[in-house]
Amino acid sequence: MSTSPSLSVLDLVPVRTGQTSAQALASSLELVARADELGYERYWFAEHHNMAAVAASTPPVMIAAAAARTSRIRVGSGGVMLPNHAPLVVAEQFAALEALAPGRIDLGIGRAPGSDPVVTALLRASGPTSDVERFPEHVQNILALMEPDGARLRLTDGKIYDVRATPAATGSPTVWLLGSSDYSARLAAELGLPYVFANHFSGAGIDQVLALYRDGYRPSDAHPEPRTFLTVNAVVAPTLNEAEERALPQLRAMARLRTGRPMGRAETVEEALATPLDGLGQQMVDDMRSRWVVGEPEVARQEVADLAARHGAGEVMVVPVAGTYAGEPLEATPGRVQTLELLAG
């Protein structure tokens, strides 16, 4: 049998039928508190915009709330979509988070906008953003700004100007680059940074991308060796039938997303069971289901261990995508809590 990897969590803060944003956020804070108790390594919040079924739009806000609710687990972003933000603002936010929870903050950075073109235009019209073509430069600026010594800028008159993300830092967050293609993997290798492959979103080319990262890695002072882990969608329940039912709402939502169909709030299990998909939609569901971890505890734990061993990863970040039955409380997500509990064994 494969050695059990460390376990972590990625949370998109799902919003289901009949649920308010406040209830969805409360359920995620319940989940991070339980993950802390169960010994999970880290807990990250995603950044997505203008999606009816997802309340994860502001990772720093959720990280601060999660840090206040926990004592041990690392909390971070999975990730901050850098083109949406000014690099100095990101550095200041995460330097402040590091001061609030020293040694427990991760800054995961992505290059995609995490939104549609209209929302991207709104972000650029209503606040400071960054040029995606300058992504490598901005990542390096953030790294420098969060260091206790800060960054030194040379002004046009030749004078040196010191800039710090926070005035008296004693440490800085761990920066990770995120991606599902080779771009961020190559950059992470060049800068000597940890890298995460977004396997929960797209598993295509995973071995080639990880090989590029590991083979091209340039050691840095903070990270002398390449460091990576994988993400995977997971639903675990006492029975296979329950796991399959709880997986259905998210599988259907992903099928709608990939076929350009309208998306509302996440369905309940009963709603998903009551309205079968057409042939193409069902084909997509079946294809995605084959790459997810869905099942009873022992089988699911072995699948996670096998995934980690297959790709040489000592850690797996699960996305607990279990749906909810109609009668379950709106302030909680019992299926997601159950998934974490049963995976942790």
Side-chain angles (χ1 to χ4, degrees):
M1 292 178 66
S2 303
T3 302
S4 296
S6 298
L7 294 174
S8 296
V9 182
L10 174 62
D11 191 355
L12 276 64
V13 192
V15 185
R16 72 178 190 269
T17 300
Q19 194 178 40
T20 65
S21 295
Q23 290 168 329
L25 295 172
S27 70
S28 281
L29 291 179
E30 175 197 33
L31 192 63
V32 70
R34 188 68 182 118
D36 190 34
E37 295 169 349
L38 291 167
Y40 279 73
E41 182 75 15
R42 68 190 83 244
Y43 195 108
W44 286 2
F45 293 95
E47 178 186 339
H48 294 285
H49 299 280
N50 198 38
M51 296 180 69
V54 175
S57 58
T58 54
V61 174
M62 292 305 297
I63 293 165
R69 288 282 299 267
T70 56
S71 60
R72 178 203 55 80
I73 196 169
R74 297 188 66 90
V75 286
S77 57
V80 164
M81 299 293 104
L82 190 51
N84 299 337
H85 311 282
L88 176 58
V89 172
V90 174
E92 288 179 330
Q93 290 172 340
F94 279 80
L97 290 168
E98 176 67 20
L100 288 170
R104 291 207 291 135
I105 302 299
D106 291 330
L107 169 53
I109 298 176
R111 184 171 173 263
S115 58
D116 60 51
V118 174
V119 173
T120 298
L122 287 172
L123 287 165
R124 292 188 176 279
S126 60
T129 56
S130 63
D131 182 356
V132 69
E133 299 304 322
R134 297 173 65 191
F135 182 75
E137 174 191 345
H138 290 157
V139 169
Q140 293 178 82
N141 289 344
I142 289 170
L143 288 166
L145 289 165
M146 293 191 304
E147 286 295 320
D149 292 337
R152 310 201 79 190
L153 305 180
R154 184 176 296 277
L155 304 181
T156 54
D157 62 3
K159 293 180 180 178
I160 299 298
Y161 189 81
D162 292 329
V163 186
R164 292 178 175 84
T166 193
T170 57
S172 58
T174 299
V175 174
W176 298 72
L177 294 191
L178 321 179
S180 58
S181 67
D182 62 356
Y183 181 93
S184 289
R186 291 180 188 275
L187 181 60
E190 179 183 335
L191 299 180
L193 292 174
Y195 170 74
V196 181
F197 185 85
N199 182 63
H200 72 287
F201 182 74
S202 171
I206 180 171
D207 289 316
Q208 296 92 324
V209 171
L210 292 181
L212 280 171
Y213 170 66
R214 289 168 175 147
D215 294 344
Y217 190 78
R218 299 179 183 177
S220 60
D221 291 341
H223 307 286
E225 300 289 337
R227 186 179 180 193
T228 188
F229 61 77
L230 309 171
T231 59
V232 66
N233 294 303
V235 181
V236 189
T239 67
L240 176 59
N241 182 67
E242 181 184 340
E244 296 282 5
E245 288 188 345
R246 287 192 183 273
L248 195 55
Q250 183 64 13
L251 283 166
R252 286 162 55 91
M254 291 299 295
R256 284 194 293 271
L257 177 66
R258 294 183 179 187
T259 53
R261 299 179 186 184
M263 294 183 63
R265 296 185 191 181
E267 298 172 308
T268 63
V269 171
E270 288 86 350
E271 288 171 329
L273 290 170
T275 53
L277 294 173
D278 60 22
L280 176 60
Q282 188 59 49
Q283 181 181 340
M284 296 189 73
V285 163
D286 294 340
D287 179 60
M288 288 185 289
R289 165 65 184 86
S290 67
R291 299 192 300 272
W292 291 19
V293 173
V294 179
E296 297 171 280
E298 288 189 13
V299 174
R301 286 195 291 267
Q302 189 59 49
E303 287 184 9
V304 169
D306 290 345
L307 175 71
R310 192 158 60 246
H311 301 294
E315 180 178 341
V316 173
M317 177 170 275
V318 299
V319 189
V321 290
T324 306
Y325 291 97
E328 293 177 332
L330 291 172
E331 297 81 6
T333 49
R336 297 205 300 154
V337 173
Q338 176 177 257
T339 291
L340 296 194
E341 290 176 340
L342 295 178
L343 267 184

